[in-house]
């Protein structure tokens, strides 16, 4: 069936001889200037062909993206959604962990401060803006550090941030009672503006600056000045420190359609419904990327860019992405939960989208390709089961037992599995500085996820299987979180060994015991 489907897609593609289309998207059509559609209330939808795109090309893209651990893919051209894909078990409308896309939103809030006059200049020295802090290691280099150098990741601060491992500067920041002061107190490694160094402390200072200039957290400021004007209602920003500062480097959640609204604001040079929310010059700097970054990217104003491809983007760990291709009048949004070693190439995605654009004008409708696109989207939303084995007799013996754990890196207090003929379940309790936590949900034993009713922290989805006579492996997700957890429990009498791993690369081995 899959071979027939791919063969049909290839046949449709071969019949469409429009050729590659690389000219900039036209701002007018035969009847005059193209109307700008503002999605403040909702996004309009369209067939790809109506917007000059090839459905067969998008089918191949959807299937290729689906081979990765993506959660969603949304493609917009001329202000209309031409493909809106949700890969099971993720579902539409769930706010997604943006990871470092948060940085680009913090940059946008800084631009609003500049547009409103709350911030006089991006050339303002940083330490002058935090003059009440007793800043350590102040030298000429630290005195020269500006808001712009924070925005371009060229602050010159000595900083180690690679994989969120213990001992890295980013982790020490999170352990600090005053994270803003921690960043300001770091020694300088070089002159501001001299070189690119990816540093989560830079946007953290920018978030703290929002508190100082507006008297509000970044979240509250964003609700009034950015989210409300754009019609964004899905925002959550849970990580707020003891000083009331929202985490400027990560922690924001938005639904994919709301992520696209951020991209649409940039696509239209900072304007929304006739109002200039951020300076057009700000957008231009983000687009052009004046700073040489890593992996062939350019950087500016907390946005990544490929100027040679005419594209720029907000990027977050595990393939969170807002991609803008102005020459094609295209926005692409992706969310995912990939391992760090598995990612969909942004460069490849730009090429795939560019190849799918055939004209500035509508193409003839293609019923066959349209049907294939509908089927590809349906298949993406249909969960594929994992392989399962038999259920050993041991399942009855461990079912319902509470296994307790001593002090450990996961702060896991207890783990319980309940095996039933219908929906089985799990219960995890944890301990924190603020008290104990309890998490529970269903687990599918037939190769499919079971989704639990929404909880305060989100929607659990879990599935499990016995990989041997004594080992049960559970895969757990919280829909919208950029992380997948693997719990491998090996039972030995009243004892259990837990091997934990997540897609952030964190691993831990724990020993537990049941006293029942």
């Amino acid at each position: 069936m899959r071979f027939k489907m791919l063969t049909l897609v290839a046949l449709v593609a071969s019949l469409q001889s429009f050729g590659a289309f690389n000219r900039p998207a036209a701002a007018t059509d035969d009847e005059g200037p193209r109307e700008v559609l503002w999605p403040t209330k909702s996004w309009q939808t369209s067939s790809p062909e109506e917007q000059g795109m090839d459905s067969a090309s998008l089918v191949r893209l959807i299937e290729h993206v689906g081979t990765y651990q993506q959660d969603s893919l949304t493609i917009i051209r001329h202000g209309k959604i031409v493909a809106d894909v949700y890969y099971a078990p993720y579902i539409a409308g769930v706010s997604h962990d943006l990871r470092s896309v948060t940085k680009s939103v913090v940059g946008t809030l800084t631009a609003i401060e500049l547009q409103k006059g709350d911030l006089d200049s991006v050339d303002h020295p940083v330490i002058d803006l935090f003059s009440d802090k007793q800043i350590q290691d102040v030298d000429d280099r630290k005195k020269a550090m500006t808001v712009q150098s924070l925005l371009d990741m060229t602050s010159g601060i000595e900083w180690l941030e690679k994989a969120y491992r213990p001992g890295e500067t980013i982790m020490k920041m999170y352990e600090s009672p005053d994270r803003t002061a921690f960043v300001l107190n770091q020694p300088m490694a070089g002159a501001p503006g001299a070189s690119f160094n990816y540093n989560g402390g830079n946007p953290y200072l920018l978030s703290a600056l929002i508190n100082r200039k507006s008297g509000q957290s970044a979240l509250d400021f964003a609700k009034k000045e950015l989210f409300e004007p754009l019609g964004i209602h899905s925002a959550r920003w849970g990580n707020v420190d003891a000083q009331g500062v929202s985490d400027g480097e990560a922690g924001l959640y938005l639904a994919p359609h709301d992520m696209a609204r951020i991209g649409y604001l940039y696509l239209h040079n900072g304007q929304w419904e006739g109002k200039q929310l951020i300076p057009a010059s700000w957008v231009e700097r983000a687009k052009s990327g004046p700073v040489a970054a890593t992996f062939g990217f350019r950087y500016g104003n907390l946005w990544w860019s490929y100027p040679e491809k005419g594209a720029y983007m907000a990027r977050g760990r595990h393939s969170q992405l807002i991609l803008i291709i102005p020459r094609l009048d295209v926005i692409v949004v992706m969310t995912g939960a990939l391992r760090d070693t598995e990612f969909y190439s942004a460069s490849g995605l730009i090429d795939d989208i560019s190849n799918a654009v055939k004209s500035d004008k509508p193409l003839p409708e293609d019923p066959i390709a349209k049907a294939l696109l509908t089927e590809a989207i349906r298949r993406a939303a249909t969960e594929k089961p994992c392989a399962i084995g038999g259920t050993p007799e041991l399942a009855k013996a461990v079912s319902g037992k509470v296994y307790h754990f001593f002090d450990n890196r996961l702060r896991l207090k207890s783990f319980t599995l309940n095996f039933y003929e219908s929906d089985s379940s799990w219960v995890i309790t944890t301990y924190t500085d603020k008290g104990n936590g309890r998490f529970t949900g269903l687990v599918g034993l037939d190769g499919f996820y079971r989704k639990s009713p929404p909880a305060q922290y989100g929607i659990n989805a879990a599935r499990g299987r016995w990989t041997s006579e004594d080992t049960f492996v559970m895969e757990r997700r919280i829909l919208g979180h950029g992380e997948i957890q693997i719990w491998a429990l090996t039972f030995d009498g009243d004892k259990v060994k837990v091997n934990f791993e997540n897609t952030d690369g964190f691993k831990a081995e724990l020993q537990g015991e049941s006293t029942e």
Side-chain angles (χ1 to χ4, degrees):
M1 178 65 184
R2 177 174 173 80
F3 174 79
K4 291 180 179 179
M5 184 67 69
L6 292 176
T7 301
L8 187 54
V9 170
L11 176 61
V12 171
S14 68
L15 293 175
Q16 295 173 324
S17 56
F18 294 98
F21 185 81
N22 294 312
R23 293 182 291 107
T28 62
D29 56 28
D30 293 341
E31 300 178 357
R34 182 182 292 116
E35 178 188 4
V36 177
L37 304 174
W38 297 106
T40 311
K41 292 184 178 179
S42 63
W43 286 98
Q44 294 186 33
T45 60
S46 167
S47 71
E49 278 69 24
E50 285 181 89
Q51 307 309 320
M53 297 187 75
D54 173 32
S55 288
S57 296
L58 295 185
V59 169
R60 292 193 294 273
L61 175 60
I62 290 166
E63 291 189 339
H64 186 40
V65 170
T67 63
Y68 295 81
Q69 199 78 46
Q70 293 296 153
D71 284 336
S72 71
L73 171 67
T74 302
I75 303 169
I76 297 165
R77 190 171 197 224
H78 301 330
K80 293 186 178 182
I81 294 175
V82 298
D84 202 21
V85 188
Y86 299 91
Y87 297 92
Y90 185 68
I91 53 178
V94 174
S95 295
H96 205 287
D97 176 8
L98 302 191
R99 298 296 174 108
S100 287
V101 171
T102 303
K103 295 178 174 68
S104 301
V105 175
V106 168
T108 304
L109 298 179
T110 305
I112 292 174
E113 290 182 292
L114 195 64
Q115 180 71 20
K116 287 166 54 66
D118 295 342
L119 178 64
D120 60 347
S121 170
V122 291
D123 296 323
H124 203 122
V126 171
I127 63 173
D128 290 352
L129 296 167
F130 295 92
S131 57
D132 60 313
K133 297 282 188 181
Q134 299 297 315
I135 302 174
Q136 301 171 10
D137 294 322
V138 176
D139 57 14
D140 289 342
R141 295 175 299 178
K142 189 169 283 190
K143 289 178 181 177
M145 184 171 61
T146 64
V147 171
Q148 188 64 66
S149 67
L150 300 180
L151 291 162
D152 290 344
M153 293 289 181
T154 59
S155 63
I157 294 174
E158 185 176 302
W159 195 270
L160 177 62
E161 179 177 336
K162 291 186 177 180
Y164 290 80
R165 297 286 191 268
E168 292 185 13
T169 318
I170 186 71
M171 298 307 292
K172 292 178 181 178
M173 181 190 79
Y174 281 118
E175 294 166 357
S176 173
D178 186 337
R179 298 171 186 172
T180 302
F182 174 87
V183 179
L184 290 168
N185 289 336
Q186 295 307 296
M188 301 295 287
S195 62
F196 178 89
N197 183 37
Y198 197 67
N199 172 352
N202 293 334
Y204 211 101
L205 292 182
L206 293 170
S207 180
L209 184 58
I210 292 169
N211 285 56
R212 287 174 172 256
K213 291 295 183 180
S214 70
Q216 306 170 79
S217 69
L219 174 58
D220 290 336
F221 182 77
K223 284 180 178 178
K224 180 181 178 182
E225 304 293 344
L226 180 62
F227 298 158
E228 184 177 326
L230 271 56
I232 291 175
H233 303 291
S234 65
R236 292 190 290 115
W237 205 335
N239 195 349
V240 179
D241 68 19
Q243 288 72 41
V245 176
S246 300
D247 187 348
E249 71 103 14
L252 177 62
Y253 286 71
L254 291 176
H257 285 191
D258 284 342
M259 295 170 66
R261 288 181 169 92
I262 302 291
Y264 204 67
L265 172 68
Y266 275 78
L267 182 65
H268 291 279
N269 297 310
Q271 288 191 8
W272 196 272
E273 294 188 326
K275 184 178 179 181
Q276 194 76 38
L277 297 185
I278 62 177
S281 59
W282 180 281
V283 177
E284 185 58 36
R285 185 179 182 88
K287 187 188 307 182
S288 63
V291 176
T294 51
F295 305 110
F297 285 100
R298 308 290 297 183
Y299 202 82
N301 286 349
L302 296 178
W303 285 74
W304 303 82
S305 63
Y306 272 134
E308 71 277 11
K309 290 181 176 287
Y312 63 111
M313 66 207 76
R315 297 171 63 232
R317 195 176 189 182
H318 305 315
S319 287
Q320 323 311 326
L321 185 73
I322 303 173
L323 171 65
I324 305 161
I325 313 177
R327 63 187 172 86
L328 300 178
D329 199 21
V330 165
I331 298 166
V332 182
V333 167
M334 285 205 311
T335 62
L338 285 74
R339 295 179 184 273
D340 289 342
T341 55
E342 304 168 351
F343 59 91
Y344 194 89
S345 162
S347 177
L349 178 62
I350 295 167
D351 292 341
D352 290 341
I353 292 294
S354 298
N355 291 334
V357 173
K358 304 299 182 182
S359 174
D360 278 336
K361 298 178 181 180
L363 304 176
E365 286 296 334
D366 188 333
I368 295 177
K370 183 178 180 180
L372 290 173
L373 180 60
T374 300
E375 175 61 16
I377 294 173
R378 186 198 67 79
R379 286 200 308 273
T382 303
E383 188 180 336
K384 286 78 176 174
C386 67
I388 59 172
T391 302
E393 285 296 315
L394 181 63
K396 296 178 181 178
V398 301
S399 179
K401 279 190 175 183
V402 180
Y403 290 88
H404 300 276
F405 298 83
F406 300 107
D407 187 45
N408 58 82
R409 296 170 66 193
L410 286 180
R411 296 195 170 190
L412 178 66
K413 188 177 180 181
S414 69
F415 199 118
T416 305
L417 288 168
N418 298 298
F419 294 112
Y420 304 121
E421 290 186 4
S422 56
D423 286 334
S424 298
S425 65
W426 53 270
V427 180
I428 292 173
T429 63
T430 61
Y431 59 91
T432 68
D433 296 336
K434 298 179 181 179
N436 295 334
R438 186 177 188 274
F439 307 89
T440 184
L442 303 174
V443 56
L445 303 181
D446 55 0
F448 292 94
Y449 286 100
R450 291 294 186 276
K451 297 185 183 74
S452 303
Q456 183 177 1
Y457 53 85
I459 301 173
N460 272 298
R463 61 185 179 187
R465 61 194 178 105
W466 289 92
T467 58
S468 70
E469 289 296 314
D470 60 0
T471 301
F472 181 78
V473 177
M474 185 176 81
E475 181 179 323
R476 179 204 175 198
R477 304 185 60 179
I478 301 175
L479 299 189
H481 285 226
E483 173 197 4
I484 300 174
Q485 300 176 355
I486 304 296
W487 298 78
L489 296 90
T490 301
F491 299 94
D492 181 10
D494 290 331
K495 296 181 179 180
V496 65
K497 180 177 73 173
V498 175
N499 285 296
F500 174 89
E501 181 179 1
N502 66 17
T503 45
D504 280 343
F506 179 83
K507 296 181 180 180
E509 182 177 304
L510 291 68
Q511 303 291 334
E513 187 171 358
S514 173
T515 56
E516 298 176 16

